[in-house]
Amino acid sequence: MSAVPTTSKPAPRRGRPGYDQDAVVAAAVELFNRHGYEATSMGMIADRLGISKSAIYHHVPGKEQLLEVALDRAISELEAVLDRPAARERPVDQRLEYVLRAMVGVLVDELSNVTLLLRVRGNTPMERRAMERRRAFDHAVADLIEEAAKSGALRSDLQPRVVTRLLFGMINWITEWYRPDGPLRREELGDSVVAIAFDGLRPRG
Amino acid sequence: MSAVPTTSKPAPRRGRPGYDQDAVVAAAVELFNRHGYEATSMGMIADRLGISKSAIYHHVPGKEQLLEVALDRAISELEAVLDRPAARERPVDQRLEYVLRAMVGVLVDELSNVTLLLRVRGNTPMERRAMERRRAFDHAVADLIEEAAKSGALRSDLQPRVVTRLLFGMINWITEWYRPDGPLRREELGDSVVAIAFDGLRPRG
């Protein structure tokens, strides 16, 4: 799904001007998130890196491919969570706890890319493909919550569909406030999400 | 703070072409949320209403005033929550429960205006004033959560600052998925938020 084949990924190209594709993508994503994708030009990305526009085209075919690489990284990391044994081979409440914690981990590790993914509105076929993969991921988590509710692992007075969206809100909103250089570690954040989701804020007596 | 004084608000002006200010603001907000504020022109708003551009200027001085009115409505409704007796004169856990539920109510009732408020990035002095009021509101809720934690009404192993942001995430994210014409009523949504926030999803034995 990535425009830049990862199977035959060469060692980062590091001739002059000294930027590999990761650095170009990272600069592009930062500008996309700050100014919006439409308002960001290849010239702005080049300026940001201090290289010429033609040097950028040495690394990527165009702006849409930069967006595609970033979206693919975000969604691939989320998809990978569901493939891990801890998300597949344990009692359903433990699997759900694992998935919520791992989602927080991906959000923190891929903060800029996930931020971009959450803002995509489907303006191009490529954006719609990314949104479709995100929806499939959301549905898989919703199914897990439904399964947990049916098994009696979750309280029965709340609608699983609503619960899913509220939990996604807690997690997705992290992109709005989390600062990677702040004091809050990803593990602590994951613990807090799981603590509220499963046990709430009231002290259990 | 509103560009259009509400104290001396006249009855809706309903000569030809038959639109009062509320309808103009509503159309503008819908377009701002769909296309972005920058990408929306007064001409597009006029087209949407099926009236001429000059007819719009009969109702409002310009695009920024439409944004200002919408942001003011959203933030004023949120501020009003904190002024109500139920948010001031009861045990702290009841006040917090009231405020969370009332925030959900405002989000549902003012869905488009709050959506706009959450997307504002501070590009103009007016936008920055709206963001400042929103921040003051956020801080007041954070103080309430801190007070509840200190009083022992909330578990003590979570940081109130992190809890605040996770609860805001659950609530603010509602703007991303709630459909006013869907089957989920605002009261049920408020109950679900309060249920997860205070008691979590695990059945209490």
Side-chain angles (χ1 to χ4, degrees):
Chain A
M1 184 136 278
S2 165
V4 179
T6 48
T7 44
S8 61
K9 198 178 180 185
R13 286 192 271 193
R14 280 212 169 275
R16 279 183 203 147
Y19 286 100
D20 59 25
Q21 199 206 35
D22 282 355
V24 177
V25 171
V29 169
E30 197 202 318
L31 293 170
F32 293 161
N33 280 328
R34 194 186 309 163
H35 304 291
Y37 173 71
E38 303 299 338
T40 302
S41 67
M42 288 294 270
M44 286 162 74
I45 301 167
D47 281 352
R48 172 83 199 167
L49 291 163
I51 63 179
S52 68
K53 242 171 100 168
S54 65
I56 281 213
Y57 286 106
H58 173 71
H59 297 287
V60 284
K63 192 169 82 158
E64 188 172 20
Q65 282 72 25
L66 290 169
L67 179 62
E68 184 167 18
V69 171
L71 296 179
D72 180 63
R73 280 190 198 162
I75 190 69
S76 296
E77 289 298 316
L78 288 170
E79 288 167 347
V81 166
L82 299 176
D83 287 334
R84 290 188 207 129
R88 308 176 73 92
E89 296 164 6
R90 294 193 294 181
V92 65
D93 56 335
Q94 289 177 35
R95 281 186 281 142
L96 179 57
E97 179 177 328
Y98 173 79
V99 167
L100 296 180
R101 207 184 293 269
M103 281 175 69
V104 172
V106 172
L107 251 78
V108 168
D109 293 344
E110 296 284 332
L111 196 63
S112 306
N113 293 333
V114 175
T115 301
L116 204 54
L117 178 66
L118 293 175
R119 290 186 186 166
V120 154
R121 290 289 172 247
N123 294 329
T124 65
M126 183 275 286
E127 289 188 12
R128 287 192 285 278
R129 282 196 302 274
M131 287 173 76
E132 222 162 276
R133 286 172 72 191
R134 186 186 143 202
R135 258 196 299 272
F137 173 82
D138 290 5
H139 283 152
V141 178
D143 287 347
L144 191 58
I145 289 169
E146 182 113 34
E147 187 188 339
K150 277 195 182 137
S151 78
L154 304 184
R155 57 196 285 176
S156 57
D157 60 333
L158 301 177
Q159 291 182 46
R161 224 173 42 92
V162 176
V163 166
T164 301
R165 277 150 166 182
L166 295 175
L167 296 184
F168 270 98
M170 263 205 286
I171 294 173
N172 289 342
W173 195 253
I174 290 170
T175 57
E176 292 285 322
W177 60 269
Y178 185 78
R179 296 289 164 265
D181 51 356
L184 183 64
R185 288 171 310 112
R186 69 207 276 289
E187 290 74 20
E188 202 177 353
L189 184 54
D191 289 346
S192 301
V193 167
V194 166
I196 295 178
F198 281 91
D199 294 314
L201 296 170
R202 214 188 298 277
R204 298 224 166 191
Chain B
M1 183 135 277
S2 166
V4 179
T6 49
T7 44
S8 61
K9 198 179 179 185
R13 288 191 272 190
R14 281 214 167 271
R16 281 186 202 144
Y19 286 99
D20 59 24
Q21 200 206 31
D22 282 355
V24 178
V25 172
V29 168
E30 197 203 316
L31 293 170
F32 293 161
N33 280 328
R34 194 187 310 163
H35 304 291
Y37 173 73
E38 303 298 339
T40 303
S41 67
M42 287 294 269
M44 287 162 73
I45 300 167
D47 280 352
R48 172 85 198 164
L49 291 163
I51 62 179
S52 68
K53 243 171 99 167
S54 64
I56 281 213
Y57 286 107
H58 173 72
H59 297 286
V60 284
K63 193 170 82 158
E64 188 171 21
Q65 282 73 25
L66 289 169
L67 179 62
E68 184 167 19
V69 170
L71 296 179
D72 181 63
R73 280 190 200 163
I75 191 70
S76 296
E77 289 298 317
L78 288 170
E79 288 167 347
V81 166
L82 299 176
D83 287 335
R84 290 189 206 128
R88 308 177 70 92
E89 295 165 7
R90 295 192 294 180
V92 65
D93 56 335
Q94 289 177 35
R95 282 187 280 141
L96 178 57
E97 181 177 327
Y98 173 79
V99 167
L100 296 180
R101 207 184 294 270
M103 281 175 68
V104 172
V106 171
L107 250 79
V108 169
D109 293 344
E110 297 284 332
L111 195 63
S112 305
N113 293 332
V114 175
T115 301
L116 204 53
L117 178 66
L118 293 175
R119 290 186 186 166
V120 154
R121 290 290 173 246
N123 294 328
T124 64
M126 183 276 286
E127 288 188 12
R128 286 192 285 278
R129 282 196 301 275
M131 287 174 76
E132 223 163 274
R133 287 171 71 190
R134 186 187 143 201
R135 259 196 298 272
F137 173 81
D138 290 4
H139 282 153
V141 178
D143 287 348
L144 191 58
I145 288 169
E146 182 114 34
E147 187 189 339
K150 275 193 183 139
S151 77
L154 304 184
R155 56 197 284 178
S156 57
D157 60 332
L158 301 177
Q159 293 182 45
R161 223 173 42 91
V162 176
V163 166
T164 301
R165 279 153 164 180
L166 294 175
L167 296 184
F168 271 97
M170 262 205 288
I171 295 174
N172 289 342
W173 196 253
I174 290 170
T175 58
E176 293 285 322
W177 60 269
Y178 186 78
R179 297 289 164 266
D181 51 356
L184 183 64
R185 289 171 310 112
R186 68 206 277 288
E187 290 73 20
E188 202 178 353
L189 184 53
D191 288 347
S192 301
V193 167
V194 165
I196 295 178
F198 281 92
D199 294 314
L201 296 169
R202 214 188 299 276
R204 297 224 167 192

